[in-house]
């Protein structure tokens, strides 16, 4: 089985509490970053900039299993969980890079919308195909982790 799309980021000092543990609220940002890079990897970078591809978050569930700390490099893996008529669900799992244990997992449901009217619109066949295929083996490294390894 191929690797899912992976996104690497480094935990910054300002994202942590006094014990240097990542604030829970920061994971929403981390999830958003990982999903944005996943969608870029699917070829939607320009469409997100122009709002040709526009969507709204309608539900996000997050489960924490262990803390991330200051200066950890986190590896987020992104996979498609499901695709509806106007929605799609993505799963993000975070690990401390190099460790197989999942420290946080999230499922996020998005609804596609028309950027002008904010009304729902259907998932096009091309997008459905890209989401189903995913971006296996692709990775984005904003932490410099892979070049240092």
């Amino acid at each position: 089985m191929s690797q899912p799309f992976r996104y690497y980021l480094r935990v910054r000092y300002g994202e942590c509490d006094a014990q240097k543990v990542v604030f829970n609220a920061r994971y929403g940002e981390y999830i958003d970053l990982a999903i944005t890079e996943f969608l870029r990897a699917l070829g939607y970078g320009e469409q997100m900039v122009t709002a040709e591809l526009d969507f709204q978050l309608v539900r996000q569930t997050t489960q924490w299993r262990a803390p991330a700390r200051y200066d950890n490099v986190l590896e987020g893996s992104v996979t498609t969980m499901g695709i509806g008529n106007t929605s799609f669900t993505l799963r993000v799992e975070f690990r401390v890079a190099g460790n197989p244990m999942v420290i946080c997992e999230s499922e996020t449901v998005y609804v596609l919308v028309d950027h002008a009217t904010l009304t729902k619109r259907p998932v096009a066949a091309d997008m459905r195909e890209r989401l189903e295929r995913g971006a296996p083996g692709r990775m984005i490294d904003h932490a410099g982790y892979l070049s240092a390894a």
Side-chain angles (χ1 to χ4, degrees), residues 46-122:
E46 183 64 26
Q47 292 93 329
M48 288 189 297
V49 170
T50 64
E52 183 182 332
L53 174 64
D54 201 0
F55 46 88
Q56 294 180 335
L57 187 151
V58 295
R59 184 171 60 88
Q60 187 169 70
T61 59
T62 304
Q63 182 173 359
W64 293 272
R65 299 182 183 281
R69 298 181 181 277
Y70 169 65
D71 209 39
N72 283 160
V73 173
L74 300 184
E75 175 189 308
S77 59
V78 183
T79 54
T80 302
M81 296 295 296
I83 307 167
N85 293 326
T86 61
S87 66
F88 58 98
T89 303
L90 300 176
R91 178 181 185 83
V92 180
E93 294 180 340
F94 282 103
R95 297 167 174 78
V96 174
N99 187 327
M101 184 179 85
V102 174
I103 63 167
C104 177
E105 57 189 316
S106 174
E107 287 188 16
T108 306
V109 179
Y110 294 100
V111 171
L112 287 175
V113 296
D114 177 273
H115 75 278
T117 64
L118 298 181
T119 56
K120 292 181 184 181
R121 67 182 187 92

Side-chain angles (χ1 to χ4, degrees), residues 1 5 7 21 25 31 63 78 85 88-89 98 113 124 126 132:
M1 180 175 198
F5 172 81
Y7 173 68
V21 173
I31 292 161
Q63 182 173 359
V78 183
N85 293 326
F88 58 98
T89 303
V113 296
D126 177 61
E132 287 172 348

Side-chain angles (χ1 to χ4, degrees), residues 126-147:
D126 177 61
M127 183 174 193
R128 182 177 300 278
E129 181 182 310
R130 290 186 201 191
L131 285 167
E132 287 172 348
R133 183 178 59 242
R138 298 274 314 271
M139 63 189 85
I140 302 295
D141 182 4
H142 285 163
Y145 173 73
L146 298 172
S147 60

